[in-house]
């Protein structure tokens, strides 16, 4: 993951002040105008970061960040809820102005511009306990076993596994909820998930010791993002 550098400092104080005035003017225009709200692409089962309540309304830590952004700047925001891959597509096709938050990667940098980093998340590999009776985690990650690993379709987990463990078979799911239901039922024996996401779903239905974290895979940084070259970048940044 590339180190993110948030600002470039101008060598001239005059130029700095000039651009500062321009930025302040753009904020004032954005706050005072009756322009349409920023549409923020979000996803529906990424607890506790982004999910929907019983009414289908966007909820979660990342949603709260954008609501706070709206309160501080006066720029209205609305949330467009979709599956994870569709949330990415919404930004890239212009159906949404920005993404609620994602892990940055070399592949994604080809399509997105990233804003200020928010916080880190940990992601782990989980096993059904029965797998530990057959082989070690190290052996499993070499590939060749008839147990596909569940990953979120379009998520960074999928990209990470394909890059670092190319011989491990993957099974993609359009939402974390669907993947966790398969794991809790025993039909899916292994999966990759963010720690807080798995903690939420396993708390709801996991029998003690049935599904276990067996290896930490990575710690990722979450960034809001816009489509490459989007003018929305200057407003949000």
């Amino acid at each position: 993951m590339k180190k993110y550098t948030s600002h470039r400092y101008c060598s001239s104080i005059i130029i700095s002040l000039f651009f500062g005035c321009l930025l302040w003017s753009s904020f004032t225009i954005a706050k005072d105008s009756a322009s349409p709200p920023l549409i923020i692409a979000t996803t529906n089962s990424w607890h506790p970061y982004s999910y929907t309540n019983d009414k289908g309304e966007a909820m979660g830590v990342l949603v709260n960040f954008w609501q706070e952004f709206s309160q501080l700047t006066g720029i209205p925001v609305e949330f467009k809820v979709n599956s994870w891959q569709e949330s990415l597509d919404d930004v890239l096709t212009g159906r949404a102005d920005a993404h609620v938050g994602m892990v940055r990667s070399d592949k994604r940098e080809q399509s997105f511009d990233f804003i200020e980093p928010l916080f880190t998340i940990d992601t782990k590999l989980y096993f059904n306990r029965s797998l530990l009776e057959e082989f070690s985690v190290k052996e499993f990650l070499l590939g060749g076993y008839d147990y596909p690993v569940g990953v979120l379709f379009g998520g960074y987990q999928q990209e990470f596994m394909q890059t670092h463990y190319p011989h491990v078979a993957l099974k993609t799911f359009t939402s974390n909820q669907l993947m966790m239901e398969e794991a809790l039922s025993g039909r899916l024996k292994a999966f990759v998930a963010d720690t807080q996401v798995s903690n939420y779903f396993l708390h709801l239905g996991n029998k003690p010791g049935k599904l276990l974290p067996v290896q930490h895979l990575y710690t990722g940084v979450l960034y809001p993002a816009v489509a490459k070259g989007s003018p929305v970048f200057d407003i949000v940044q």
Side-chain angles (χ1 to χ4, degrees):
M1 184 180 299
K2 294 182 178 179
K3 183 178 179 181
Y4 183 78
T5 303
S6 60
H7 299 284
R8 291 183 178 179
Y9 294 99
C10 298
S11 59
S12 168
I13 295 176
I14 296 176
I15 294 176
S16 298
L17 290 173
F18 174 72
F19 281 105
C21 290
L22 287 180
L23 180 60
W24 178 253
S25 297
S26 68
F27 256 128
T28 303
I29 293 171
K31 291 174 68 175
D32 294 339
S33 67
S35 59
L38 290 178
I39 306 301
I40 311 303
T42 184
T43 187
N44 53 13
S45 68
W46 190 25
H47 302 68
Y49 308 112
S50 171
Y51 60 97
T52 54
N53 60 19
D54 294 338
K55 298 180 181 179
E57 299 168 330
M59 304 286 288
V61 175
L62 294 176
V63 171
N64 293 342
F65 269 106
W66 282 99
Q67 290 170 333
E68 185 71 11
F69 163 84
S70 179
Q71 291 180 8
L72 290 174
T73 64
I75 302 173
V77 297
E78 293 181 1
F79 299 98
K80 185 177 180 61
V81 179
N82 234 322
S83 69
W84 179 261
Q85 181 60 56
E86 288 171 327
S87 72
L88 300 178
D89 294 339
D90 284 339
V91 177
L92 296 177
T93 59
R95 294 190 295 266
D97 297 303
H99 195 275
V100 68
M102 67 178 79
V103 174
R104 189 172 183 169
S105 70
D106 290 341
K107 180 179 179 180
R108 287 177 174 173
E109 286 198 14
Q110 298 174 20
S111 303
F112 294 95
D113 286 329
F114 294 87
I115 318 297
E116 293 287 344
L118 297 174
F119 51 83
T120 60
I121 59 173
D122 293 311
T123 301
K124 299 176 182 178
L125 172 67
Y126 291 78
F127 269 11
N128 186 297
R129 178 178 286 276
S130 62
L131 292 191
L132 294 175
E133 300 172 358
E134 298 188 38
F135 38 71
S136 69
V137 176
K138 183 177 180 180
E139 291 172 331
F140 178 82
L141 290 174
L142 294 175
Y145 293 95
D146 294 328
Y147 298 105
V149 174
V151 292
L152 186 64
F153 179 62
Y156 182 68
Q157 303 96 325
Q158 181 181 8
E159 181 181 337
F160 180 89
M161 291 298 293
Q162 289 172 335
T163 301
H164 296 276
Y165 303 104
H167 302 298
V168 174
L170 301 179
K171 182 176 182 179
T172 59
F173 293 85
T174 56
S175 76
N176 283 301
Q177 182 173 351
L178 292 174
M179 182 174 71
M180 300 303 292
E181 288 174 353
E182 285 291 289
L184 289 168
S185 71
R187 292 187 293 270
L188 180 68
K189 300 294 185 182
F191 64 92
V192 173
D194 302 325
T195 303
Q196 296 301 329
V197 175
S198 57
N199 286 348
Y200 171 83
F201 284 103
L202 296 185
H203 175 74
L204 295 179
N206 187 28
K207 295 179 180 179
K210 180 180 179 180
L211 298 170
L212 303 169
V214 294
Q215 181 160 319
H216 178 271
L217 295 178
Y218 61 85
T219 297
V221 182
L222 292 183
Y223 295 81
V226 300
K228 200 81 173 174
S230 170
V232 176
F233 179 89
D234 292 330
I235 298 174
V236 179
Q237 175 78 350

